Amino acid sequence: MKNYIGIIGALLVIAGGMMPMLHIPIIGNWNYWDLDTVLASIVYSLAILSLIAAASNKRGLLRFCGWTLLLVLTFTFGAVYFKVSNYFNFIPLKKLAAVAGRMIHYRWIGWALIASGAILMILFSGKNKKSQIH
């Protein structure tokens, strides 16, 4: 039997990676691919693997993908946060660099979709139930 909520969670992760995650003035919105292609490849690979796991009812693999996605998302958020806070360090005036750094805005819908998809995968993977013979 397919795990339909796991499939929905994987689709949320894929959709969240395509949504804007960061807005940089003049340049525009950045999604996961624009932030980092290696991390985006890992996220999309895990999302495809979780789709396969949910369709074939591999609950342990689905739970592993969910936890790994949360870990990668947390790492990405930390890396983006530190990159944004240090992005304008080349400007010699610290106040001007701080003002320029505040011009970069997070777009939370992409982050939230990926996190909610991973949480759905974890919560609804459940435990493998052994069949009882009567």
Side-chain angles (χ1 to χ4, degrees):
M1 178 160 173
K2 296 179 183 178
N3 186 343
Y4 293 108
I5 297 180
I7 292 172
I8 291 170
L11 292 176
L12 282 174
V13 170
I14 292 170
M18 294 180 195
M19 298 295 281
M21 299 178 85
L22 202 65
H23 176 75
I24 301 173
I26 298 173
I27 296 173
N29 292 324
W30 281 11
N31 60 11
Y32 223 125
W33 282 110
D34 297 323
L35 293 176
D36 190 69
T37 55
V38 174
L39 290 174
S41 299
I42 292 170
V43 166
Y44 286 127
S45 298
L46 286 168
I48 297 298
L49 186 61
S50 63
L51 269 175
I52 294 168
S56 61
N57 205 23
K58 303 288 184 189
R59 297 177 183 273
L61 182 59
L62 185 63
R63 187 179 308 115
F64 171 76
C65 289
W67 282 111
T68 308
L69 280 166
L70 280 180
L71 182 70
V72 171
L73 185 68
T74 304
F75 176 77
T76 304
F77 184 76
V80 167
Y81 176 78
F82 287 117
K83 181 69 175 178
V84 165
S85 64
N86 296 323
Y87 195 70
F88 294 102
N89 277 348
F90 65 90
I91 298 175
L93 302 171
K94 292 192 186 274
K95 288 185 180 182
L96 184 60
V99 168
R102 285 192 298 269
M103 290 172 49
I104 298 174
H105 299 288
Y106 291 96
R107 299 289 184 224
W108 294 106
I109 189 74
W111 298 98
L113 283 176
I114 294 172
S116 62
I119 290 170
L120 277 177
M121 283 187 249
I122 294 167
L123 290 179
F124 290 97
S125 62
K127 294 184 178 181
N128 287 334
K129 297 178 182 177
K130 296 180 182 177
S131 62
Q132 298 176 356
I133 301 174
H134 294 277

